[in-house]
Amino acid sequence: MALNTQFSRALAKQRGMSYWGWLAVIAVFGFGLTVVSKMGPAYVDAHFVEEGLHSLAKNSGVREMSNTEIKRELDRFFTINNVRGEPTDSVKIIRGADSTLVSINYELRQPLFQNVDVVMKFNKQLNTAKPELCCEPLVDLEQFRKRDDY
């Protein structure tokens, strides 16, 4: 009889999550799903921007290409991979004495819910002098411009 009472007490304690517990789990899962669905496409585009710069780095004749040809190559890659908007408009090409710098520096503001926005910054660079370091921001363009202003 004592064993039966302990068993019924143990079953009473193991009822599972309450309504509020399930509601909290669903709310956290829903918030995570919302964040991923809003921010995910921007990170997919950033991945393809990086891949575009990698494919440009493999091209040995980048130094001889004109700015228009470089932009056309990147635009073709972005069109194939469905990258639109900020990344395609943010391509900057700076020519130096011994290298060419292709920079894609942009930020996206994505509304999350009501008056809360998420700002994502992306900075990808290709320096033809160091193609093995592709896509790492090696040069701060603002400092570069300030140096040229003096």
Side-chain angles (χ1 to χ4, degrees):
M1 188 74 165
L3 184 62
N4 210 5
T5 337
Q6 287 176 342
F7 184 69
S8 63
R9 279 191 214 142
L11 279 177
K13 290 181 182 178
Q14 296 181 8
R15 281 189 250 158
M17 270 198 289
S18 68
Y19 170 77
W20 296 108
W22 276 111
L23 193 61
V25 167
I26 291 171
V28 168
F29 181 73
F31 179 75
L33 193 62
T34 300
V35 168
V36 167
S37 70
K38 298 280 185 151
M39 295 173 60
Y43 282 96
V44 170
D45 284 351
H47 170 73
F48 283 122
V49 165
E50 190 170 324
E51 288 296 317
L53 287 176
H54 277 294
S55 72
L56 197 60
K58 291 177 186 173
N59 187 345
S60 60
V62 175
R63 287 271 305 136
E64 291 77 34
M65 293 171 73
S66 70
N67 290 1
T68 307
E69 289 173 328
I70 292 173
K71 285 185 179 183
R72 190 178 313 130
E73 280 293 317
L74 285 173
D75 190 44
R76 184 177 305 133
F77 186 87
F78 293 160
T79 301
I80 290 170
N81 292 294
N82 200 25
V83 177
R84 294 188 208 117
E86 268 311 305
T88 59
D89 300 336
S90 301
V91 177
K92 290 188 178 71
I93 301 166
I94 301 169
R95 300 228 181 234
D98 60 345
S99 68
T100 300
L101 180 72
V102 180
S103 174
I104 305 175
N105 186 6
Y106 63 100
E107 74 177 37
L108 292 174
R109 179 178 295 269
Q110 180 68 36
L112 196 55
F113 52 89
Q114 291 184 0
N115 62 346
V116 177
D117 291 351
V118 175
V119 177
M120 296 167 281
K121 293 182 180 184
F122 300 98
N123 187 6
K124 309 288 182 189
Q125 293 179 353
L126 167 65
N127 189 345
T128 57
K130 299 176 184 175
E132 66 278 357
L133 298 176
C134 176
C135 307
E136 295 298 321
L138 302 173
V139 178
D140 183 13
L141 293 179
E142 293 303 317
Q143 293 296 328
F144 193 77
R145 284 193 188 102
K146 287 178 186 174
R147 188 187 72 196
D148 285 349
D149 289 341
Y150 293 115

